[in-house]
Amino acid sequence: MKLNENYSQLKESYLFSEVARKVGAFQAANPDKKVIRMGIGDVTLPLAQTVITALHKAVDEMGTAATFRGYGPEQGYDFLRTAIKDYYKQAGVEIDIDEIFVSDGAKSDIGNITDLFSKDNTVLVPDPVYPVYVDTNIMNGRNMLYMDGNAQNGFLPMPNKNVRADIIYLCSPNNPTGACYTKAQLKEWVDYALENKAVILFDSAYESFVSDKELPRSIYSVEGAKKCAVEFCSLSKTAGFTGLRCGYTIVPKTIESEGLSLNKMWLRRQTTKFNGVPYIVQRAAEAVFSEDGIKETRAMVAHYKQNAQIIAKTMEETGTRYFGGINSPYIWFECPYNMDSWSFFDFMLDKIAVVGTPGAGFGKNGNNFFRLTAFNSRENTVEAMERFKSLTK
Ligand code: MLT
């Protein structure tokens, strides 16, 4: 056998596995210390009551022959796809039900969609950004181009007419920086993609954190996007589904290349390689989009956004330059004392037992930056920030 040698081009371990390994070693060496984890963006609030009720009901259905369900449609049950369609409609975006594909989360779909594209494509990725885009394309051996996100452009790189790319990754609100593209900026990206016959892979996993009504929560609120953009979304951060697992991907029927339809190819891929999300999870996801579900999950998001404000205020009080935290659960700040991000990670863990994510894990432009998440209890967030103040004194 011959193995995929592209794997040797990857870093030894995935960013968040490396963080978890270091934290595990620290906790083992310091069993009495209370470590506060603000590294991986994992939620801490329990599921909304409406979701729990729907789960219980679905579990009961599975225990009765008349209502038991076996294999479901690979692309998701119609009840959930209809709920997602209506959710988009409320935001003024029309999506057909057969353009919606339910999955176990955005990460899987973002990785799996690379199956549909030829190895010859050139991929354009922002730096810094969620490492899955880069790692999954390295696995496929694709040529990668990076576009710089930095303090000067507010971590929102824009198209460069002299650069030709076939596959463009955008994430807005951005992970890790919290920066959010305006509609006019996204329109420039859509125009660039249409001109270059490129596809935009748009990650909107953090759309529910956008509170500024002027900012787009879906790329489809931009004219022309349905001809060139695939959108990935997830209930992980919107409704606390990091453990339950459910997301959805929109693949418009209007994206075609050389007689092939991306929508048909994704359907073919999913029906061949995926057996769908569990029925009970899809019922729970359906409940998220109900009136009560939206109310309850928005309250959860509001809680995290208040935590983000507490972190942002601490950055101001300590004179630390930061970004994000307004339309995002992430605060992205410059490492104090000119430290590089992995040194600052070790320093912060060692001195105050607070975990964050080193910016270098998101690309070279993150070398001197650090990410903290707002996904914690109020108590832990306040305590972590008190500890942070002592660190920067
Ligand atoms: C993150 O911390 O960046 C995310 O939680 C990771 C993920 O969603 O896979």
Side-chain angles (χ1 to χ4, degrees), residues 14 16 39-42 107 130 132 175 206 237 330 362 371 373:
Y14 179 57
F16 295 105
I40 190 165
D42 196 4
K107 181 179 177 178
Y130 185 41
V132 170
N175 177 10
Y206 298 92
K237 318 295 153 83
Y330 296 129
F362 301 97
R371 193 193 79 175
T373 91

Side-chain angles (χ1 to χ4, degrees), residues 306-327:
Q306 282 160 16
N307 284 348
Q309 285 314 297
I310 291 168
I311 304 171
K313 193 160 166 270
T314 307
M315 295 300 140
E316 275 156 29
E317 283 170 20
T318 55
T320 310
R321 184 153 79 136
Y322 76 98
F323 299 82
I326 298 171
N327 296 292

Side-chain angles (χ1 to χ4, degrees), residues 264-330:
K264 282 191 183 153
M265 286 170 71
W266 184 243
L267 178 66
R268 187 69 175 82
R269 192 237 171 247
Q270 291 300 81
T271 48
T272 308
K273 294 195 182 183
F274 182 56
N275 257 338
V277 174
Y279 171 71
I280 59 173
V281 174
Q282 293 196 51
R283 280 294 183 200
E286 179 192 27
V288 170
F289 297 104
S290 67
E291 211 180 310
D292 284 346
I294 288 187
K295 222 183 280 163
E296 290 168 32
T297 53
R298 287 298 133 109
M300 290 156 67
V301 168
H303 165 86
Y304 295 132
K305 284 177 70 119
Q306 282 160 16
N307 284 348
Q309 285 314 297
I310 291 168
I311 304 171
K313 193 160 166 270
T314 307
M315 295 300 140
E316 275 156 29
E317 283 170 20
T318 55
T320 310
R321 184 153 79 136
Y322 76 98
F323 299 82
I326 298 171
N327 296 292
S328 158
Y330 296 129

